[in-house]
């Protein structure tokens, strides 16, 4: 039997939880005068001085906008922290999230092109934005230029960090994986130095020539730097791999 004290505590706890829920729900309605339905803009848009075009914002679109904003966040949270009830459907849920992310990325590329519909939901509902302040420059043009400026700065920072030789070699290795090592005529041959020999990496006269048990020659610094980036770096000419770097004996 359940004691009377336990039943009383449970009843008090239920009342307390119900009171908290009602108070939190009432607090939500305080923000309704500043919502999309009243102000024709989200809170973030109001801070930026922009809004949806009133002639495009119908009651149906407002309801769909608010509904999908809640559903999208709910689906994403469930995919990141699935509960036991969603374990069986997690694969389908993750597929939906991946499709939405791919569609959002495609929408981002379109936004870079024409400066309209920064989010997938706005494109789906055909909700364009306009400025609430007087500007000499159109909002869509200004947004696109600012975004391109930030994107170009990101590229200027990240591109110098990429080892193009390593990326190029990995792509060639992937493309030529089927025919790899089929041609053995260059393998296990000691290269002979001559005036026409060039480094197979920098295509210049080799400095401190070395080889990796094939007939192609490399600068010591070229092959060493490539091996520092990619331990499985192979000869770019014949795809031969040898871990040891051997100096070329000059006659």
């Amino acid at each position: 039997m359940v004691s009377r004290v336990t039943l009383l505590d449970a009843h008090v706890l239920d009342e307390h939880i119900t009171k908290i829920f009602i108070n939190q729900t009432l607090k939500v309605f305080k923000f309704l005068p500043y919502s999309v339905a009243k102000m024709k803009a989200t809170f973030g848009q109001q801070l930026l001085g922009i809004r949806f075009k009133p002639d495009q914002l119908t009651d149906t679109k407002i309801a769909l906008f608010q509904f999908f904003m809640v559903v999208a966040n709910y689906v994403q949270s469930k995919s990141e922290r699935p509960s036991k009830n969603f374990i069986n459907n997690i694969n389908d849920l993750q597929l939906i999230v991946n499709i939405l992310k791919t569609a959002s990325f495609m929408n981002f590329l379109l936004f870079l092109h024409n400066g309209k519909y920064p989010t997938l939901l706005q494109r789906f509902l055909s909700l364009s934005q306009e400025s609430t302040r007087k500007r000499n420059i159109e909002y869509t043009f200004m947004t696109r230029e600012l975004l391109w400026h930030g994107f170009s700065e990101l590229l200027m920072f990240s591109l110098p960090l990429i080892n193009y030789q390593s990326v190029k070699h990995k792509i060639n290795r992937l493309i030529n994986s089927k025919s790899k090592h089929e041609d053995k005529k260059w393998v296990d041959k000691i290269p002979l130095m001559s005036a026409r020999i060039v480094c197979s990496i920098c295509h210049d006269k080799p400095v401190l020539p070395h080889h990796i048990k094939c007939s192609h020659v490399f600068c010591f610094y070229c092959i060493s730097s490539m091996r520092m980036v990619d331990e499985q770096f192979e000869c770019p000419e014949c795809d031969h791999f040898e871990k040891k770097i051997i100096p070329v004996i000059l006659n």
Side-chain angles (χ1 to χ4, degrees):
M1 295 179 63
V2 181
S3 63
R4 189 179 297 273
V5 175
T6 304
L7 292 174
L8 182 61
D9 290 341
H11 180 70
V12 173
L13 181 61
D14 289 341
E15 289 183 347
H16 185 63
I17 292 176
T18 304
K19 185 177 180 180
I20 293 175
F21 176 76
I22 293 174
N23 290 335
Q24 293 295 327
T25 305
L26 292 176
K27 287 182 179 180
V28 172
F29 290 98
K30 293 182 180 180
F31 298 98
L32 284 180
Y34 308 99
S35 64
V36 177
K38 297 292 183 180
M39 304 298 295
K40 310 300 181 184
T42 62
F43 298 110
Q45 289 175 331
Q46 294 176 42
L47 293 174
L48 295 174
I50 57 179
R51 66 176 181 180
F52 295 118
K53 291 184 178 180
D55 57 336
Q56 297 179 350
L57 199 62
T58 62
D59 294 338
T60 303
K61 289 185 177 181
I62 291 175
L64 289 175
F65 181 83
Q66 295 175 337
F67 173 76
F68 283 118
M69 286 291 290
V70 175
V71 170
N73 293 330
Y74 176 77
V75 171
Q76 184 176 3
S77 64
K78 283 298 181 181
S79 65
E80 294 175 353
R81 298 183 298 273
S83 60
K84 293 182 179 180
N85 296 330
F86 282 82
I87 292 297
N88 296 330
N89 299 325
I90 187 62
N91 293 330
D92 297 335
L93 192 63
Q94 190 63 43
L95 177 62
I96 295 174
V97 173
N98 292 336
I99 292 175
L100 290 176
K101 288 182 178 180
T102 304
S104 298
F105 178 72
M106 298 300 295
N107 178 77
F108 173 72
L109 296 179
L110 292 174
F111 175 68
L112 288 178
H113 177 68
N114 53 31
K116 294 182 179 180
Y117 309 121
T119 65
L120 183 63
L121 182 57
Q122 292 181 24
R123 182 175 295 277
F124 175 72
L125 298 176
S126 299
L127 295 176
S128 301
Q129 299 177 144
E130 64 180 7
S131 175
T132 58
R133 304 167 186 170
K134 292 183 179 180
R135 288 191 175 101
N136 295 326
I137 303 175
E138 187 181 358
Y139 167 73
T140 55
F141 176 80
M142 181 185 66
T143 305
R144 183 173 56 181
E145 290 300 312
L146 289 174
L147 190 59
W148 270 113
H149 180 71
F151 188 63
S152 61
E153 286 188 346
L154 176 63
L155 291 179
M156 291 176 64
F157 174 78
S158 59
L159 288 180
L161 303 178
I162 300 175
N163 189 317
Y164 296 101
Q165 290 289 344
S166 178
V167 173
K168 178 182 177 181
H169 185 66
K170 288 181 179 179
I171 294 175
N172 291 334
R173 184 193 305 170
L174 182 64
I175 295 175
N176 301 324
S177 59
K178 294 183 179 180
S179 60
K180 188 176 179 181
H181 299 306
E182 290 182 357
D183 190 0
K184 300 290 185 179
K185 65 179 182 178
W186 303 106
V187 181
D188 295 331
K189 290 187 177 181
I190 299 176
L192 300 176
M193 289 298 299
S194 65
R196 296 182 179 180
I197 291 292
V198 295
C199 173
S200 296
I201 297 177
C202 67
H203 303 290
D204 203 349
K205 188 175 181 179
V207 179
L208 299 176
H210 282 65
H211 68 95
I212 52 174
K213 290 188 177 181
C214 67
S215 58
H216 301 102
V217 180
F218 311 92
C219 300
F220 174 74
Y221 298 105
C222 290
I223 187 65
S224 298
S225 61
M226 297 304 294
R227 282 291 173 85
M228 289 177 63
V229 176
D230 183 8
E231 294 182 354
Q232 301 298 321
F233 181 79
E234 303 165 346
C235 175
E237 301 289 342
C238 63
D239 291 335
H240 176 66
F241 173 75
E242 171 62 36
K243 186 175 182 180
K244 187 177 180 181
I245 302 175
I246 306 169
V248 176
I249 300 176
L250 302 177
N251 295 328

